[in-house]
Amino acid sequence: MTAPAEPPEPAVPLASARGRWILLTTVLGSSMALLDSTVVNVALPRIGQDLGADLAVLQWTVNAYLLTLAGLILVGGALGDRFGRRRVFVLGVAWFAVGSLLCGIAPNAGVLIGARALQGIGGALLTPGSLALIQGSIRPGDRGRAVGLWSGLGGVGAAVGPFLGGWLVDGPGWRWVFLLNVPLAALCIPVALRHVPESRDPHAHGRFDVLGAVLGAGSLALLTYALIEARSAAAPVAAAAVGGVLMGVAFVYVERRRADPMVPPSIFASRQFTAVNLVTLCVYAAFSGFFFLVVLQLQVVSGYSALAAGAALLPTTVLMLLLSARSGELGERIGPRIPLTVGPLLCAAGTLLMLRVGPHAPYATDVLPAMVVMGMGMVTLVAPLTATVLASVDPGRAGLASGINNAAARAAGLLAVAALPLLAGMGPEAYRSADEFDAAFGRAMPWCAAVLVVGAAVAWATVRTPSPGAPHPQCRTQCAMTAPPLEPPREESAP
């Protein structure tokens, strides 16, 4: 006779001491990944100087992290549901800290890139777990407030990030951008083990789409290598490009035929979900390419310090922090089509305004207007995009939809950082010459603007505002198209 299953622990009120510990844990864990995403770009010129690295190494410093994060984030969420969200979250924090330590002591570029890939694995484990811990532990009536506090505290961290990163690079050195994660992890792990209850999905099974994850990540890796190394025009580059395409085709084939695919094709039966993910690919490709090159332009060409370059990006973060909630409310009232069209167009205008930024560019007249327009475009776009992703599928698949959208955004950024320097004709040593980099930057910004315009056109042509009370296309019963506005994994909200 089998023993009865242990009853689940009761949900925790947010106002209780344990509820506050849970919130602190999730904020600490997600802040590690958030700080990394906001400060590493600022450190790139100094990393290149200290390690004697060319532009390809700087690209891989960003992309090694994005590659493993994009390829494994859905697996990370599934592991948490199956084996315990706290357990996988703690493993992710520890893994991320070890990767950060290796980045901080890396003696050469090869070790740094490998350690960044390890960081991405840790990020894929902890990022889905951050919100899942709130969902699985906090009392249902308090979850909305908990997510709001999690997002708000994370927004404060995002606002501090550029200052902190610039100060570290100009002061103790770029290695402390990574080493800072170690004490955060040392605080987060004991708190999680002592105060956060374990939770898991009782309906989850032990089968994982390992083949799908390998094919997806392998395709992205080969295509990224081919784009970054394309200037050499060597046989290995061509082989990588062909191999990447073939693995991508194999990924689609496998996902269509597996019983438990990592990316179920049926979720794309919602035309709205497919359309919004196409918009996501466009806008996050442009965002990643834009912010990757802007911090280099400000330091290499305009002569800004790392601290000044990081602070120059602050208006976009402040605007997102102050106005995203109102943007989400507006999107609910007027529907997603207009915000998802106007937002990318505003971002395209901000991108083109950056063409005014050249040698010794004054901040108030050249940089600030571009950042404000870019920030207003992001405010208009990001919250409605996230809400539309969640509302376009059955509410029971909201977690899967958010994960797919997050992975799409990371993959778009990965390929953009690889491809944009190639499209702009940047040589391996371009960032060492102010004149050469300035000319290439002038060719790159129109590419970013063009991709944003394509995203706006896709939104206008394909995104529709659902009629109130209309049946959901994936529901077998009548269910509302509008889902409660949930916050996205914050990794995607800070470029």
Side-chain angles (χ1 to χ4, degrees):
M1 185 174 178
T2 59
E6 294 185 5
E9 293 198 36
V12 180
L14 179 61
S16 67
R18 197 175 197 186
R20 291 191 291 269
W21 281 116
I22 293 171
L23 181 64
L24 174 64
T25 302
T26 60
V27 170
L28 283 174
S30 58
S31 293
M32 293 170 58
L34 175 65
L35 284 172
D36 234 47
S37 67
T38 57
V39 302
V40 168
N41 280 3
V42 176
L44 289 176
R46 199 66 56 83
I47 291 173
Q49 293 172 12
D50 286 358
L51 299 183
D54 61 13
L55 182 63
V57 170
L58 302 189
Q59 290 172 277
W60 276 116
T61 301
V62 174
N63 278 348
Y65 176 80
L66 290 176
L67 174 62
T68 50
L69 177 65
L72 298 175
I73 193 167
L74 290 174
V75 175
L79 287 171
D81 289 341
R82 175 65 178 88
F83 295 111
R85 291 157 182 153
R86 185 188 68 179
R87 179 181 300 172
V88 173
F89 175 82
V90 168
L91 175 62
V93 171
W95 197 309
F96 195 92
V98 171
S100 298
L101 177 61
L102 292 175
C103 287
I105 64 175
N108 54 55
V111 174
L112 176 62
I113 291 169
R116 286 286 284 163
L118 288 177
Q119 272 192 309
I121 297 173
L125 295 174
L126 75 87
T127 299
S130 181
L131 277 178
L133 286 177
I134 292 177
Q135 185 72 16
S137 303
I138 297 296
R139 187 171 61 187
D142 292 341
R143 287 173 188 165
R145 183 165 177 263
V147 170
L149 288 170
W150 175 85
S151 179
L153 291 170
V156 173
V160 172
F163 286 107
L164 180 62
W167 178 79
L168 288 172
V169 172
D170 287 339
W174 63 266
R175 295 180 183 276
W176 283 94
V177 167
F178 301 105
L179 295 175
L180 180 66
N181 292 320
V182 177
L184 287 177
L187 176 61
C188 181
I189 291 174
V191 171
L193 293 175
R194 179 175 177 81
H195 297 286
V196 178
E198 185 61 280
S199 64
R200 53 175 54 86
D201 182 356
H203 304 293
H205 51 67
R207 298 185 297 275
F208 297 100
D209 185 10
V210 177
L211 179 59
V214 170
L215 289 173
S219 176
L220 288 173
L222 290 174
L223 291 174
T224 301
Y225 172 81
L227 289 169
I228 291 177
E229 303 296 335
R231 301 176 191 89
S232 66
V237 174
V242 173
V245 172
L246 292 177
M247 289 187 78
V249 173
F251 172 77
V252 174
Y253 179 86
V254 167
E255 296 302 282
R256 289 176 64 89
R257 284 159 177 78
R258 289 183 75 88
D260 299 287
M262 183 174 69
V263 182
S266 61
I267 198 170
F268 293 97
S270 167
R271 294 180 61 186
Q272 187 92 319
F273 180 76
T274 303
V276 175
N277 276 283
L278 289 174
V279 176
T280 297
L281 288 171
C282 292
V283 298
Y284 277 95
F287 290 164
S288 297
F290 175 84
F291 286 103
F292 173 70
L293 294 181
V294 162
V295 291
L296 290 170
Q297 176 77 359
L298 291 175
Q299 293 180 72
V300 173
V301 177
S302 301
Y304 285 33
S305 67
L307 176 58
L313 309 181
L314 190 58
T316 58
T317 302
V318 172
L319 288 170
M320 288 282 289
L321 181 61
L322 295 178
L323 300 178
S324 285
R326 295 184 181 181
S327 173
E329 294 171 359
L330 177 64
E332 287 184 349
R333 287 201 304 269
I334 68 175
R337 189 185 188 195
I338 292 177
L340 298 189
T341 301
V342 173
L345 293 177
L346 283 173
C347 291
T351 299
L352 294 177
L353 283 174
M354 280 300 298
L355 293 173
R356 302 172 59 196
V357 177
H360 311 294
Y363 180 75
T365 57
D366 288 0
V367 182
L368 181 59
M371 290 299 168
V372 169
V373 175
M374 172 63 77
M376 290 304 298
M378 294 174 69
V379 164
T380 304
L381 164 71
V382 172
L385 185 148
T386 302
T388 307
V389 165
L390 296 173
S392 62
V393 299
D394 184 300
R397 308 183 87 179
L400 175 64
S402 178
I404 291 174
N405 188 252
N406 196 318
R410 300 307 124 221
L414 169 73
L415 295 176
V417 171
L420 189 57
L422 175 65
L423 293 172
M426 289 186 182
E429 304 297 324
Y431 81 97
R432 301 185 189 279
S433 167
D435 291 338
E436 184 179 349
F437 192 88
D438 189 34
F441 182 81
R443 295 189 294 269
M445 289 301 99
W447 278 105
C448 291
V451 173
L452 287 163
V453 171
V454 170
V458 169
W460 182 257
T462 61
V463 174
R464 293 292 177 264
T465 300
S467 302
H472 193 283
Q474 290 188 340
C475 284
R476 294 180 181 176
T477 60
Q478 294 290 105
C479 60
M481 279 290 287
T482 54
L486 302 178
E487 290 290 335
R490 192 165 53 250
E491 247 261 324
E492 70 193 50
S493 66

